[in-house]
Amino acid sequence: MSASGTGRGPGPRPARRTVLGGAAAAAAGFALAGCGGSEYGEGEPKGRKKGEKITLTFWSWVPGIDQPVALWNSKNPDVRIELEQVSAVNGAQYAKMHAAVKAGNPPDLGQVEYPIVPSFLLDDGLLDLTKYGAAGVKSKFEGWQWQQGVFGDAVFAIPQASGPMGLFLRQDLFDRWEIETPATWDEYEAAAKAIRRKGAWIETFSATNGNRFAGFAWQAGARWFAVDGDTWTVSIDDEPTRRVADYWEGLVRQKLIKTVPDRQSVWYKDIQTGAIPAWVGASWGDALLVGNAPKTAGKWRVAPLPQWKKGENASANWGGSTTAVFRGTQYPQDAVDFAVWLNTDPESIKLLIDGGYGWPSAVSGWTDADMENHKEFFGGQDYSKVFQEAGKAVDTSWQWGPATDTLYQRFGDAFTAVLTGGGSFRSVLAKVQRQTLDDLRNKGLKVAAG
């Protein structure tokens, strides 16, 4: 419940509005269709009276986030944050959040990744934070990340972190096997062949990891979603994505990589033993490796993401999330105050960095040195510089579309079916393209195939 002793009362619910319309069309890119009454009820949130003690609920999966929450609670005894750590396996956190929104009992705040913000807007589940001062903190954050939670003139989420991508590798094994760090995807395939001859696999293709696959497509120049007026154009089955699909299918068919899910038990064992000596990951992966392969300390390094052509400098983002406030909270101002503090306060940022939350969205309150708290694990390498440069090479014109959590599920189901029953990766793209068009039409949106 959102308030001690009071529970969740009616929250602000204007009639379902068109976020995409008129001038907002170019800025937002989608419409919330329909109208009618709210399961939350009508009326303004009551707000906190002076001296009143309240509790706000916050759902998150970010590692170590309990530490800044505890810090906040120690400094703000009148506004206690009750943290519930939710599972992030295969989108379980979003299924739970969507169910809570539909039941009329979501948390006050939630961790929502950039690609998923539009999905909750389609549910009319997020609160417009502009009247609670959110627009006034825009300058505290990286511009493109700030825009991930902005639609039209409304602010729906406070950015927390991004995930510029790079290549983690076991330098000791690469050196022992006399394999050069791959600078291109062709060199990556050559390295995969050399590693396979040594009895290991360079990587895994995780069928259910649509988020990482999106990062590969992003780097290759894909544009899955675009908007023209009030119509979404869906281009999942485009040439850059076909190139990515063909490449990874080739590695799979040659048996150069595994197909186990990444960041699960079998994969962690392979990382620990050296059966998998590399991983295309994101900046937040440093803490993941430290926490799950401690006996490999000092042996890892970070390299830039391999390029499609030698000399190019294109990167992408995997992950990155916001702190969003769900519509229906009775204490929106306190929720916004916490969200801003969580993601801008220097003490909070340091604790989040220590936990491995990604690359900070805040433009101040931290230094590059803060990002290298695992430097010894990476053999003394100034590895944060790799991700810093990767962040500069991300094409920030990439646009996420509605229902991306459903899109990831579609990819997971389709890739799994191909890996277990046959077919091509290109057939996955065509299938998911059709399904996504149908999914958006079923939500009342205008769509076109790109």
Side-chain angles (χ1 to χ4, degrees), residues 97-161:
M97 289 179 189
H98 280 299
V101 166
K102 292 175 182 178
N105 191 33
D108 295 281
L109 302 110
Q111 195 86 35
V112 180
E113 291 172 287
Y114 296 141
I116 313 300
V117 171
S119 297
F120 284 102
L121 291 181
L122 283 172
D123 282 352
D124 208 11
L126 301 183
L127 183 68
D128 180 356
L129 310 180
T130 51
K131 68 184 295 184
Y132 306 106
V137 301
K138 175 181 178 180
S139 63
K140 294 179 180 290
F141 300 96
E142 291 288 346
W144 77 270
Q145 294 178 53
W146 174 260
Q147 288 302 128
Q148 301 300 305
V150 176
F151 296 86
D153 295 325
V155 179
F156 290 99
I158 303 298
Q160 181 169 106

Side-chain angles (χ1 to χ4, degrees), residues 5 110 122 129 141 159 171-172 188 206 253 255 260 292 329 335 350 364 380 398-399 414 421 443:
L122 283 172
L129 310 180
F141 300 96
Q171 191 66 58
D172 61 321
Y188 184 91
S206 179
R253 300 307 180 200
K255 302 186 186 304
V260 299
N292 291 279
T329 180
K350 186 178 188 311
S364 63
W398 172 276
Q399 184 173 27
K443 291 182 180 295

Side-chain angles (χ1 to χ4, degrees), residues 59-368:
W59 291 2
S60 176
W61 68 92
V62 170
I65 203 165
D66 57 311
Q67 296 300 311
V69 168
L71 178 63
W72 166 275
N73 286 339
S74 70
K75 293 186 173 186
N76 299 273
D78 288 351
V79 182
R80 179 178 176 275
I81 303 299
E82 181 179 314
L83 175 66
E84 180 175 340
Q85 293 183 299
V86 292
S87 171
V89 176
N90 295 332
Q93 74 276 41
Y94 298 128
K96 182 172 181 176
M97 289 179 189
H98 280 299
V101 166
K102 292 175 182 178
N105 191 33
D108 295 281
L109 302 110
Q111 195 86 35
V112 180
E113 291 172 287
Y114 296 141
I116 313 300
V117 171
S119 297
F120 284 102
L121 291 181
L122 283 172
D123 282 352
D124 208 11
L126 301 183
L127 183 68
D128 180 356
L129 310 180
T130 51
K131 68 184 295 184
Y132 306 106
V137 301
K138 175 181 178 180
S139 63
K140 294 179 180 290
F141 300 96
E142 291 288 346
W144 77 270
Q145 294 178 53
W146 174 260
Q147 288 302 128
Q148 301 300 305
V150 176
F151 296 86
D153 295 325
V155 179
F156 290 99
I158 303 298
Q160 181 169 106
S162 65
M165 296 180 72
L167 174 63
F168 295 95
L169 57 92
R170 281 281 301 273
Q171 191 66 58
D172 61 321
L173 296 178
F174 273 65
D175 288 345
R176 183 189 308 168
W177 298 332
E178 298 182 336
I179 299 171
E180 294 292 327
T181 299
T184 67
W185 288 114
D186 284 343
E187 292 175 4
Y188 184 91
E189 181 174 351
K193 292 177 179 178
I195 289 170
R196 192 70 197 95
R197 288 194 290 270
K198 300 298 181 179
W201 295 263
I202 191 172
E203 252 274 26
T204 187
F205 179 84
S206 179
T208 57
N209 196 337
N211 206 330
R212 189 174 78 148
F213 186 78
F216 291 144
W218 187 342
Q219 186 214 18
R223 292 293 179 272
W224 285 357
F225 296 97
V227 64
D228 182 12
D230 61 353
T231 300
W232 276 99
T233 299
V234 180
S235 304
I236 294 166
D237 189 16
D238 65 358
E239 283 304 321
T241 310
R242 289 176 183 175
R243 183 181 193 180
V244 170
D246 290 347
Y247 178 83
W248 287 96
E249 182 176 8
L251 296 182
V252 170
R253 300 307 180 200
Q254 295 177 76
K255 302 186 186 304
L256 298 178
I257 57 175
K258 286 194 166 187
T259 56
V260 299
D262 60 357
R263 297 170 296 154
Q264 295 188 30
S265 58
V266 173
W267 183 81
Y268 284 127
K269 181 179 179 181
D270 286 340
I271 288 292
Q272 292 164 359
T273 63
I276 289 179
W279 176 47
V280 180
S283 57
W284 42 263
D286 60 348
L288 186 149
L289 294 174
V290 170
N292 291 279
K295 293 182 180 180
T296 63
K299 299 176 180 179
W300 290 88
R301 301 292 186 274
V302 181
L305 199 62
Q307 300 294 305
W308 286 104
K309 291 183 180 179
K310 201 171 189 67
E312 289 183 341
N313 183 30
S315 191
N317 192 71
W318 174 11
S321 62
T322 72
T323 308
V325 179
F326 284 96
R327 192 177 52 75
T329 180
Q330 284 296 286
Y331 303 99
Q333 187 63 66
D334 294 293
V336 171
D337 290 346
F338 168 71
V340 173
W341 174 91
L342 177 69
N343 299 308
T344 60
D345 179 82
E347 289 184 272
S348 176
I349 291 175
K350 186 178 188 311
L351 291 170
L352 288 167
I353 290 172
D354 289 345
Y357 83 135
W359 200 266
S361 296
V363 297
S364 63
W366 60 281
T367 67
D368 291 346

